[in-house]
Amino acid sequence: LYYYVKEILETTNNKVVVLAFTNKAVDTICKCFREPRSGNPIPYIRIGSKHVKDESLLETLLEQAGNNPDEWRRLLETNRIFVGTVASFQNKLKLMNQFIPFHQVVIDEASQLTEADLVGILSVFNKFILIGDHLQLPAVITQHEKSCIVQSESLHEYGILDLRVSLFERLYRNASIKNWTMAYGQLSDHYRMHDHIAFLISHHYELGLESTLPPQWQMEIPVYFTEDHPINNILKSRVLFIECPPDVAPKKNTSEARLAAWFASSFIKNNILLSKEVGIIAPFRAQVVEIKKFIPHDILSTNDESLQIDTVERFQGDERKLIIFSTTIASGPQIRNIQSLVNNGNEEVDRKLLVSISRASEILIILGCSAALSASTPYRNMISRIRDKNGYIGRDWAEKVLETI
């Protein structure tokens, strides 16, 4: 995104509006513009409420300009990059239209936005670019499934079959079917996951995923526990699946909760990782609460720098050096409660599983019962791939650790 915007600035006189679904994603975009990996920073104005912490926030800049409409106009007309959430921009659409020409808009996280979210914005721009991943979590829809199914045959001709499907996914599939290669593409370079973690999901993408930074293919694991520490004996792989005892409770597993808390505490208390570099994902709120019971109070802080323990939906757009994923379920029929399946060509992809895996940059630890999880093809294939990386740890190890913590 940085390099695209930079090229527009260098080759045209156009203004560019960059939007995303969440403030977290907008924070990341703004940081990318302020502190690029290479090249010069890109000046921008951020659109949002006063609660947003950003020196380039429009509200702040207007206050600094004082009661001077001419200065307000100069500020808006001389700046070329505007960044904000889709909702914030919609609220200021008429105001912005008075001061800047709507040349083009770039929308990140577009696969989480429905057609209704975007049509009012896209229709006022000369050009739009949607960035997203329809294999990750879709838009959150509260309406019942039946009310989202489109009955109109006229709309069917345009591929509008289900109002829950994002505009991004519909346009992507339409362009792919019609081989409009000039209208869509895939970014294969990524800057987050180690190669061993990317190995678990890369095959879902047509062009695969290519790492770009040396730490992503570094073989040595930069983690140092004492020789007698239980983690030291198993951390031979960047990806681990640890077989855990099942629980009779439907939406929580105390053994997994204790292990997840112990892993996180071990990495933090041994000064291997900071709290903000560790995340624990669970499929149910009940399991999130259960895990928090076993986290020491000095680690479980409420500030922004704390260890995050939450469901996968709250991790979308985030990343941590260490992700611990407690799958929780104890039997095959429960698998549908932790999945979000989508057809991708000739295979079925579990979007929740894909997002859970791709939040980890250095180490991924998955806790679960393989007999229950293997009722799902995506989970069965994932466990097989982890075995290929020598990352499968039997139940004996987990039970032995549970006896000592």
Side-chain angles (χ1 to χ4, degrees), residues 60-320:
T60 303
L61 297 175
L62 291 178
E63 286 181 3
Q64 293 172 354
N67 191 21
N68 187 339
D70 291 335
E71 183 63 19
W72 300 347
R73 180 177 292 275
R74 186 201 65 78
L75 184 69
L76 292 170
E77 290 181 347
T78 56
N79 188 79
R80 295 178 61 192
I81 307 299
F82 298 85
V83 189
T85 62
V86 168
S88 295
F89 187 78
Q90 283 177 327
N91 292 335
K92 291 184 169 59
L93 186 61
K94 290 184 178 179
L95 173 66
M96 300 300 293
N97 198 21
Q98 295 179 37
F99 294 98
I100 67 170
F102 288 158
H103 292 133
Q104 67 172 292
V105 61
V106 181
I107 300 182
D108 195 12
E109 297 185 318
S111 51
Q112 296 181 64
L113 293 159
T114 65
E115 306 217 13
D117 293 322
L118 293 181
V119 65
I121 292 177
L122 301 186
S123 61
V124 302
F125 283 90
N126 297 332
K127 176 181 179 179
F128 67 83
I129 296 175
L130 304 181
I131 303 173
D133 184 352
H134 60 287
L135 299 184
Q136 296 200 19
L137 296 181
V140 177
I141 305 296
T142 57
Q143 287 93 330
H144 191 274
E145 178 181 348
K146 290 183 179 179
S147 65
C148 294
I149 303 301
V150 176
Q151 305 296 336
S152 170
E153 293 186 4
S154 298
L155 293 178
H156 288 181
E157 295 178 7
Y158 294 96
I160 304 176
L161 309 174
D162 188 335
L163 297 180
R164 294 171 300 172
V165 176
S166 67
L167 176 64
F168 174 91
E169 182 174 351
R170 181 172 71 84
L171 294 182
Y172 174 83
R173 293 193 184 283
N174 182 62
S176 179
I177 290 170
K178 296 179 178 178
N179 199 31
W180 291 349
T181 53
M182 79 299 289
Y184 77 99
Q186 180 200 315
L187 300 175
S188 56
D189 292 351
H190 73 99
Y191 296 85
R192 177 188 296 161
M193 295 171 285
H194 188 275
D195 277 350
H196 290 182
I197 300 173
F199 170 73
L200 299 179
I201 62 173
S202 182
H203 60 287
H204 294 313
Y205 297 93
E206 184 178 353
L207 300 181
L209 297 174
E210 295 291 335
S211 57
T212 53
L213 302 174
Q216 291 177 281
W217 57 78
Q218 176 184 343
M219 294 304 296
E220 181 183 355
I221 303 176
V223 172
Y224 305 100
F225 287 96
T226 58
E227 279 193 23
D228 59 342
H229 197 288
I231 295 178
N232 189 60
N233 299 327
I234 63 168
L235 204 58
K236 312 301 182 186
S237 171
R238 299 272 184 164
V239 289
L240 297 176
F241 180 90
I242 298 177
E243 197 77 53
C244 296
D247 201 320
V248 294
K251 292 187 177 182
K252 69 177 184 179
N253 182 309
T254 301
S255 295
E256 287 187 27
R258 291 173 60 202
L259 279 173
W262 175 76
F263 268 113
S265 301
S266 296
F267 277 85
I268 295 168
K269 294 236 178 214
N270 284 278
N271 298 316
I272 293 171
L273 293 174
L274 301 175
S275 295
K276 64 180 181 180
E277 296 174 327
V278 180
I280 303 178
I281 299 175
F284 308 113
R285 299 302 308 174
Q287 183 67 355
V288 170
V289 172
E290 188 73 5
I291 293 169
K292 288 182 178 180
K293 289 180 183 177
F294 301 101
I295 299 288
H297 291 295
D298 57 330
I299 293 178
L300 193 60
S301 173
T302 57
N303 61 47
D304 292 337
E305 301 296 309
S306 69
L307 162 70
Q308 183 174 354
I309 308 169
D310 221 321
T311 58
V312 65
E313 288 83 2
R314 298 296 295 274
F315 272 89
Q316 178 98 325
D318 201 354
E319 66 177 88
R320 302 288 164 126

